[in-house]
C-alpha cells in the first residue's frame, strides 16, 4: 500500500460538507411534475436514479419543506423529464422558489393520469408512485414506469459546481 499525498483536512459530517462534496459531482438534470389540487406542481431534481429494470422503477429525492411536496406526497403518478442543454432557463424556473413554473413560458400538456408532461425534453416518463421512504428531511420516492418517450433530440443538461452546463467533447 502506498501513501496518498496530501488528502487535505478531513471534515466532520455536516450539511455543508455534503453540499460541498456534491457540488463536485456532475449530475443530469430532470424536472419532476405531478397533478395538484390547485394546479400542476414541479421541481428541478438532480437525484434521479434508475433503481430496477424489471419491473422498471426509478427514484428521486424531495425535501419535505418543498412547495411541491404536498402534491407529490398525495399523487399516485408523477412525470419525469430529462432536460436538454437548451433548457437551462426551464431548469432554473423549476428550481426557483415562488416561480410561475407552469406559466406562459413553459410548454406542457396534460398526459396520462393527469400528469403534466413538458414539451421539447430529451425524454419523459409517467410513473406510478409505489413508495415514499423517509430519509432525514427528504423523502425518497420510488415510482414504476408506466409509459414514456425517449426520442427527444439534443444533448443532456448537467448540473455541476452550482451551475447548469452542457456536455463538452
Amino acid at each position: 500500500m502506498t501513501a496518498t499525498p496530501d488528502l487535505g483536512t478531513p471534515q466532520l459530517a455536516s450539511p455543508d460538507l455534503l453540499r460541498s462534496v456534491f457540488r463536485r459531482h456532475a449530475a443530469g438534470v430532470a424536472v419532476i411534475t405531478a397533478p395538484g389540487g390547485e394546479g400542476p406542481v414541479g421541481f428541478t431534481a438532480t437525484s434521479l436514479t434508475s433503481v430496477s429494470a424489471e419491473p422498471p422503477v426509478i427514484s428521486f429525492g424531495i425535501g419535505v419543506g418543498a412547495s411541491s411536496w404536498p402534491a407529490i406526497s398525495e399523487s399516485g403518478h408523477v412525470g419525469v423529464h430529462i432536460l436538454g442543454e437548451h433548457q437551462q432557463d426551464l431548469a432554473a424556473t423549476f428550481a426557483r422558489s415562488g416561480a410561475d413554473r407552469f406559466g406562459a413560458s413553459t410548454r406542457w400538456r396534460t398526459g396520462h393520469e393527469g400528469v403534466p408532461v413538458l414539451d421539447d425534453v430529451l425524454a419523459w416518463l409517467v410513473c406510478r408512485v409505489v413508495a415514499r421512504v423517509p430519509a432525514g428531511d427528504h423523502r425518497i420516492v420510488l415510482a414504476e414506469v408506466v409509459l414514456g418517450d425517449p426520442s427527444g433530440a439534443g444533448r443532456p443538461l448537467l448540473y455541476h459546481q452550482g451551475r447548469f452546463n452542457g456536455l463538452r467533447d
Side-chain angles (χ1 to χ4, degrees):
M1 186 162 114
T2 59
T4 305
D6 191 20
L7 289 178
T9 305
Q11 300 176 29
L12 293 176
S14 70
D16 288 339
L17 173 62
L18 184 66
R19 285 184 199 102
S20 294
V21 168
F22 272 86
R23 285 177 67 88
R24 295 179 175 270
H25 174 70
V29 180
V31 167
I32 309 297
T33 61
E38 297 182 26
V41 301
F43 65 98
T44 300
T46 57
S47 61
L48 182 64
T49 304
S50 171
V51 174
S52 169
E54 191 56 45
V57 174
I58 58 94
S59 72
F60 60 87
I62 180 172
V64 296
S67 62
S68 297
W69 171 243
I72 299 286
S73 74
E74 305 250 334
S75 182
H77 290 80
V78 295
V80 176
H81 307 84
I82 307 302
L83 300 190
E85 63 186 355
H86 64 286
Q87 295 178 302
Q88 291 185 18
D89 290 343
L90 183 66
T93 296
F94 276 83
R96 195 170 34 257
S97 180
D100 184 5
R101 296 173 179 158
F102 290 90
S105 65
T106 301
R107 295 183 15 239
W108 65 282
R109 65 193 180 284
T110 301
H112 183 72
E113 296 291 336
V115 171
V117 176
L118 302 177
D119 293 339
D120 198 30
V121 294
L122 296 187
W124 61 266
L125 300 168
V126 171
C127 304
R128 181 179 59 83
V129 175
V130 295
R132 296 170 185 88
V133 181
D137 62 355
H138 278 61
R139 296 297 179 267
I140 305 302
V141 177
L142 296 166
E144 185 174 359
V145 175
V146 175
L147 58 92
D149 182 357
S151 66
R155 295 163 54 107
L157 181 61
L158 300 178
Y159 188 73
H160 180 252
Q161 292 288 6
R163 293 187 16 218
F164 297 114
N165 297 282
L167 278 177
R168 288 188 217 133
D169 288 330

